[in-house]
Amino acid sequence: MYPSVIRFLLLSSFILLAACASTKVQQEKLPCNIPASFNWDTTTVYKASISVMNKNFSGLIIFNRENDTDYRLIMTTDVGPKLIDITLTPKGYTKNFVMAQLDRKALLRMFWEDFGTMLGIFAKGKPGYSDLGTCCYPVSKNFTSCYITSDLKSFPLSAYFVQGNEKKTKINYFCAVGQQPDSIRIEHLALNMSYFLNKLN
Amino acid sequence: MLKNKLISHGEFCFKKSDKLRMEFKQPYKYLFILNGANVYILDNQKKTEVSASGNKLFKKISQITISSVNGDILHSKDFSSRILESDNQYLLILTPQSKEIKQFFNLFQIYVSKNNYLVDKIEMDETSGDKTTLIFTEKQVNVPIGDSFFTLK
């Protein structure tokens, strides 16, 4: 009995030590980059359906590439008149035109986060780090945008906008290999809200 | 703002006195129907029905759309109007006076043919600096259209 108790205690101690040690080891975050991911055309037009609290809205969303990092986002009605025209940059957004009823800071910031992540503007010109199979880029304090690719090189299959450790928005890209996405689904995980974009040109 | 114009094609039907159907067919499908106080929208197989009578802005949009087609817009208090003419067209220049319309548009220009008094073109100058133009071609008049064409089944 005595040697077996000793063996049991030693084994328990070893397991306990090993468990403690493992909690102290930081998960290694390796550098990653997805440079070929976001070579969008100068102008890309999507037909958009937006569902908010089970109500549906539709219109056109146009992305105009201004330079390597900045994009102009334009939302229009299906019939033509413009509702929103903002420039998205890695640091924030600037208003070119916003219809009075939609001129809300929280809404415009949400568009910056969603479409900035979708377009990959936060991933331009700075290194990312791999985290549990995703390639993440810091956006601002406590916010990151993360991309899941088949090989961390090609166009992403999906993306997340993350606050702290909580995924706020999920983006799914549907595209042929090496092509821009034909359709994109953006879903707010905490809100009853989603967009579905279908490429027109 | 855009390097290339965005162009859509479709059909526009009006039945006296308050029925209108605007159907976009290319490059995307979108159907807008105005029937009296009701608005019906079909987009991506999703049907939406709105009662314009309960929504001030929708009611205003409905009134403007119908009155620009039937010509009553010249007597509307929502616009001040000027009429110019060329060899073959009248040009109606409408400047919004009401607050609701002013926030979207600076000016409407309606080009009417002197041949048949039908609208050739509507230009909408937006407050954003952009312009939306509707061009009417292959016009047909007094073609029988059933009332069911102005509802969503």
Side-chain angles (χ1 to χ4, degrees), chain A residues 6 25 45 47 49 55 59 113 124 142 144 165 172 188 192:
Chain A
I6 296 286
V25 173
V45 185
K47 177 86 172 74
S49 302
K55 289 189 173 160
E113 293 172 356
K124 287 280 184 180
N142 209 30
T144 48
N165 291 319
N172 280 318
H188 280 260
N192 189 0

Side-chain angles (χ1 to χ4, degrees), chain A residues 47 58 64 74 78 82 101, chain B residues 1 28 30 43 126 130:
Chain A
K47 177 86 172 74
S58 70
N64 222 36
I74 298 139
D78 283 290
K82 192 156 75 175
Q101 285 89 337
Chain B
M1 190 244 119
Y28 56 89
Y30 175 80
D43 179 57
E126 299 166 37
D130 284 354

Side-chain angles (χ1 to χ4, degrees), chain B residues 112-129:
Chain B
V112 180
S113 166
K114 279 187 170 178
N115 273 343
N116 49 22
Y117 301 104
L118 295 174
V119 175
D120 287 334
K121 185 166 77 169
I122 299 175
E123 288 179 351
M124 298 178 266
D125 285 1
E126 299 166 37
T127 48
S128 64

Side-chain angles (χ1 to χ4, degrees), chain A residues 45 47 49 56 58 60 62 64 72 74 78-82 97 99-101 200, chain B residues 1-3 6 22 24 27-28 30 43-44 46 103-105 126-128 130 132:
Chain A
V45 185
K47 177 86 172 74
S49 302
N56 297 305
S58 70
L60 301 178
I62 300 149
N64 222 36
R72 205 152 161 183
I74 298 139
D78 283 290
V79 187
K82 192 156 75 175
F97 171 82
M99 187 184 141
Q101 285 89 337
L200 288 181
Chain B
M1 190 244 119
L2 296 168
K3 288 185 175 67
L6 294 178
M22 195 153 62
F24 289 79
Y28 56 89
Y30 175 80
D43 179 57
N44 268 345
K46 282 180 190 157
Q103 64 178 323
F104 296 108
F105 300 103
E126 299 166 37
T127 48
S128 64
D130 284 354
T132 297

Side-chain angles (χ1 to χ4, degrees), chain A residues 49-96:
Chain A
S49 302
I50 302 176
S51 167
V52 185
M53 311 291 275
N54 299 321
K55 289 189 173 160
N56 297 305
F57 304 91
S58 70
L60 301 178
I61 295 185
I62 300 149
F63 301 102
N64 222 36
R65 182 156 50 84
E66 305 281 283
N67 56 43
D68 266 1
T69 57
D70 302 351
Y71 285 82
R72 205 152 161 183
L73 162 71
I74 298 139
M75 294 179 168
T76 76
T77 64
D78 283 290
V79 187
K82 192 156 75 175
L83 305 172
I84 288 177
D85 179 352
I86 55 177
T87 302
L88 308 172
T89 74
K91 301 271 184 197
Y93 64 87
T94 50
K95 290 189 275 185
N96 304 309

Side-chain angles (χ1 to χ4, degrees), chain A residues 4 11 47 49 126 157 164 174-175 193:
Chain A
S4 64
L11 191 63
K47 177 86 172 74
S49 302
K126 53 186 176 187
L157 305 171
F174 303 93
C175 49
M193 179 176 178

